[in-house]
Amino acid sequence: IYIGRMLVPPCAGVRLLYKYVFMRKIIFSLLLMALLPSMSIAQEAVSRVFISMPDSILPYLDASQRQELADDIAQKEKPIVVNSLGDTTRIDNISTDYMKLYCNKAHTIEMKILPRVQEKDSIICLVNTYNGPAEESDITFFDMAWQKLNQNLTPSVKPQQLLAKPDTLSDEDYSSLAELLDPTLIKINLSPKSRTVTYQLSIPAVPNDKKKLLEALLSQMNFNWDGERFN
């Protein structure tokens, strides 16, 4: 039996093989145990920022309910509460620097902690998305004490930049479809895995055949965080 490049007798080989597999399992377990605390600490940091969120940002979810959601995450329970509107609010996704919160059926919040290079600190990027029924978003930035920043840290995006005419579509058909997007509403998404923000147009409530045609017109713009702003 070969173990690596060594030729060993069958009985000894079996013993060495079991030992080899056992040691690999131990090493993997130790690495996993080493990573878990850092992941939990990072999630705890995001949770602390969420708990300290001013009531004015989410009036129907008070501090005790935000604490309950954070506790559920820490205890690996389903993070969901009944808010003061009688609707449910839940944490849908949480990572090292990101949280997505379903506030109610018509409102979603995404939160991202972003490092600043020059200031040597971090800020909070908050995206509110409202579904009425087409989705529309706004993006705001805060320091870690939830003081709103006055700087515009994202590029100015016009709805026309998020439309592209396919070569197979006539000018008349393109104009006819584009009219269905009036008024034009922009949806913004933060990436859970990278420091990227995405802009795209919302599709209103239209028949499915029209929806597929409209999807062919839409393009999106992605901007990456450079340590000071999205570019």
Side-chain angles (χ1 to χ4, degrees):
I1 296 176
Y2 281 91
I3 305 295
R5 294 184 178 180
M6 296 185 300
L7 178 62
V8 297
C11 293
V14 170
R15 289 196 298 270
L16 283 173
L17 183 60
Y18 277 118
K19 185 176 181 181
Y20 174 74
V21 172
F22 180 69
M23 290 301 296
R24 283 176 61 89
K25 287 184 177 179
I26 290 178
I27 292 171
F28 176 79
S29 299
L30 290 173
L31 288 172
L32 184 61
M33 290 173 64
L35 287 172
L36 284 175
S38 61
M39 293 169 63
S40 298
I41 290 171
Q43 288 183 353
E44 184 182 348
V46 174
S47 297
R48 284 200 302 270
V49 171
F50 170 60
I51 293 168
S52 66
M53 177 189 290
D55 290 343
S56 57
I57 293 178
L58 202 56
Y60 52 86
L61 194 74
D62 60 32
S64 64
Q65 291 172 315
R66 296 195 298 272
Q67 180 70 61
E68 183 178 347
L69 286 169
D71 291 343
D72 288 343
I73 286 290
Q75 297 168 13
K76 301 187 181 340
E77 296 179 1
K78 188 176 182 179
I80 185 169
V81 297
V82 177
N83 57 51
S84 61
L85 298 178
D87 203 345
T88 56
T89 297
R90 73 180 190 273
I91 295 176
D92 180 67
N93 193 355
I94 184 170
S95 63
T96 56
D97 57 1
Y98 171 88
M99 177 184 286
K100 183 173 184 178
L101 185 76
Y102 278 100
C103 308
N104 59 42
K105 295 176 181 178
H107 183 200
T108 302
I109 280 179
E110 287 183 287
M111 183 173 69
K112 189 89 171 178
I113 298 176
L114 300 168
R116 291 195 294 186
V117 176
Q118 293 182 3
E119 292 80 358
K120 296 182 180 179
D121 61 4
S122 296
I123 61 173
I124 304 162
C125 177
L126 192 77
V127 173
N128 284 286
T129 299
Y130 304 94
N131 191 357
E135 294 174 302
E136 184 176 20
S137 303
D138 61 61
I139 185 167
T140 318
F141 297 87
F142 303 84
D143 65 19
M144 296 303 285
W146 285 104
Q147 296 298 312
K148 186 176 179 180
L149 303 180
N150 294 323
Q151 302 100 312
N152 182 14
L153 303 180
T154 57
S156 177
V157 178
K158 298 179 179 179
Q160 294 79 5
Q161 295 174 276
L162 301 172
L163 279 172
K165 176 183 169 297
D167 295 335
T168 56
L169 204 63
S170 68
D171 292 342
E172 184 180 353
D173 288 340
Y174 173 76
S175 298
S176 177
L177 285 172
E179 288 177 359
L180 297 176
L181 294 170
D182 186 36
T184 49
L185 303 177
I186 295 178
K187 179 184 176 183
I188 304 171
N189 287 110
L190 293 168
S191 171
K193 298 181 179 180
S194 65
R195 294 166 186 160
T196 304
V197 64
T198 300
Y199 285 69
Q200 57 189 8
L201 287 181
S202 289
I203 297 180
V206 294
N208 287 334
D209 58 334
K210 296 291 186 183
K211 183 177 181 180
K212 290 181 179 179
L213 292 172
L214 285 173
E215 287 174 346
L217 306 184
L218 304 186
S219 62
Q220 64 181 36
M221 299 182 72
N222 299 319
F223 302 100
N224 296 315
W225 182 253
D226 65 4
E228 297 300 327
R229 58 179 290 112
F230 283 108
N231 281 309

